[in-house]
Amino acid sequence: MPAKRKRRINNSITEGKLGASLWKLAMPMMAGALLQNLFTLTDLFFVGRLGYVAVGALTIAGVVISIIMMLSMGISAGTTALIAHFTGKKDYGSADKVLFQTVIISVVCSLATVLAGIFGRYFLLRLFGATEEVIPAASEYIRIVFTFSITIFLFIGFNQALRGSGDAVTPLKILLFANVLNIVLDPLFIFGIGFFPRLGVAGSAIATVISRGAGVFILFMHFIFGDSSLHFKRGVFRINIPLVARMVKIGFFTSFEVMLRQISILLLWRLIASFGTASIAATGIVMQIRMAVMMVGFGMGAAASVLIGQNMGASQPARAGKSG
């Protein structure tokens, strides 16, 4: 590895025309948000060939998994905010340190998730009103995803870190690659094509885990060897408790908001489940279409947060306010 690597920085966020900066950042972020949702839509498309019971199992498992997804996005809010601040301040060394603390937080959260998957998956499914006919397939899906939940935490954390640094294009490319891989692997594992085993609903979980894992590996290589806006290098591989505390403090309220939202979703899904598996399956499909629309708004919101964070770091509060 060379002693000195180039660092690709997007300087248009803190200078130049604000409208152009916003759209330059927002467009790939909105596209990336849609691609994030495409994982689930792809799973639904292929699992739908197995019948409504399989769709119901995937749907109710997806509701439980969404807690982890939203929690990881909440946690990564601290990553995005601090990296945006340090990048705007041109303190790139501190931004690199935040990136490694993201790994530490992801590992801790993943270990807790693994335990929840091993000991609490049946409880969680029944809590959300899963019917007896969907529990076997849904529990196996959750077991696989929870066991390898580190891929979710790191995949979202790394992507959000890059966006915070002003690089929205690299996460988009990685998401596109991971989705294409998922589209290829889904039918192989679900239907058992060729020498692949026929795993049904569990096959979609394996395909998703492999796809996200491949994306995480590529991002690791990008941070270590590439001309990334963030670098993994000697000196950053230390646990920094004060920095972790700042990240958790920033992300806590976002995560708490997610948990409050999940309470209302819990009540909704218990009501839907009382009408049977077919109702769960139908609602799951509609919810994913609704989520695709919402993801566009999430992308724009993420772009605004990066603009505000970097301009505050660059001591340009007026431009930050105008960004908002």
Side-chain angles (χ1 to χ4, degrees):
M1 185 172 63
K4 186 76 173 177
R5 285 188 289 142
K6 291 182 179 180
R7 190 184 293 269
R8 189 170 62 229
I9 300 297
N10 180 5
N11 292 312
S12 67
I13 294 175
T14 54
E15 56 190 49
K17 292 184 178 180
L18 189 56
S21 299
L22 174 62
W23 285 108
K24 184 178 179 180
L25 199 60
M27 290 302 288
M29 283 194 178
M30 289 190 287
L34 288 171
L35 285 174
Q36 188 71 51
N37 194 52
L38 186 59
F39 282 105
T40 305
L41 289 174
T42 300
D43 290 348
L44 274 174
F45 176 81
F46 288 110
V47 169
R49 270 63 180 163
L50 302 176
Y52 75 90
V53 174
V55 173
L58 179 64
T59 296
I60 204 71
V63 173
V64 177
I65 299 297
S66 69
I67 299 175
I68 304 301
M69 295 288 292
M70 293 296 109
L71 184 62
S72 63
M73 293 181 80
I75 292 169
S76 66
T79 299
T80 306
L82 284 181
I83 286 181
H85 174 79
F86 287 129
T87 301
K89 197 177 178 181
K90 300 190 183 305
D91 184 358
Y92 304 124
S94 293
D96 293 339
K97 291 176 183 177
V98 173
L99 178 65
F100 182 68
Q101 306 316 306
T102 301
V103 176
I104 301 301
I105 295 173
S106 296
V107 169
V108 172
C109 292
S110 177
L111 290 174
T113 304
V114 169
L115 293 175
I118 294 172
F119 300 108
R121 63 184 187 274
Y122 293 105
F123 168 76
L124 289 170
L125 285 169
R126 290 191 172 92
L127 184 66
F128 280 91
T131 57
E132 290 302 319
E133 61 182 334
V134 305
I135 284 179
S139 64
E140 183 63 13
Y141 184 97
I142 288 175
R143 183 187 68 80
I144 294 168
V145 174
F146 273 40
T147 299
F148 297 98
S149 59
I150 186 65
T151 60
I152 294 178
F153 286 107
L154 288 179
F155 193 75
I156 293 176
F158 284 168
N159 279 307
Q160 290 300 102
L162 280 170
R163 289 174 181 134
S165 71
D167 181 5
V169 175
T170 300
L172 180 62
K173 291 178 180 178
I174 299 298
L175 275 164
L176 184 59
F177 165 78
N179 270 284
V180 169
L181 184 59
N182 188 50
I183 291 169
V184 172
L185 293 178
D186 251 356
L188 298 179
F189 283 108
I190 293 171
F191 306 120
I193 298 173
F195 59 85
F196 289 87
R198 181 182 174 88
L199 300 175
V201 175
S204 65
I206 292 174
T208 300
V209 164
I210 292 174
S211 301
R212 289 186 189 277
V216 169
F217 176 77
I218 293 172
L219 285 167
F220 256 118
M221 293 299 100
H222 182 58
F223 292 138
I224 294 172
F225 300 109
D227 61 342
S228 172
S229 52
L230 299 168
H231 290 170
F232 275 145
K233 59 185 180 181
R234 186 180 301 174
V236 304
F237 300 110
R238 297 192 186 100
I239 298 177
N240 188 320
I241 299 300
L243 204 51
V244 169
R246 286 182 68 183
M247 294 167 68
V248 171
K249 184 178 179 180
I250 293 170
F252 171 79
F253 293 101
T254 303
S255 297
F256 186 67
E257 178 188 347
V258 169
M259 298 311 295
L260 289 177
R261 190 182 303 129
Q262 291 303 127
I263 292 174
S264 64
I265 292 174
L266 167 63
L267 298 174
L268 173 64
W269 276 106
R270 288 189 67 88
L271 176 63
I272 292 167
S274 67
F275 291 96
T277 304
S279 295
I280 294 174
T283 306
I285 293 170
V286 174
M287 286 287 194
Q288 287 307 317
I289 295 172
R290 168 180 172 269
M291 184 59 70
V293 177
M294 291 176 63
M295 281 295 182
V296 177
F298 290 154
M300 177 60 79
S305 68
V306 172
L307 277 167
I308 292 170
Q310 286 209 23
N311 281 290
M312 288 298 291
S315 300
Q316 298 186 71
R319 184 178 171 89
K322 195 175 179 182
S323 299

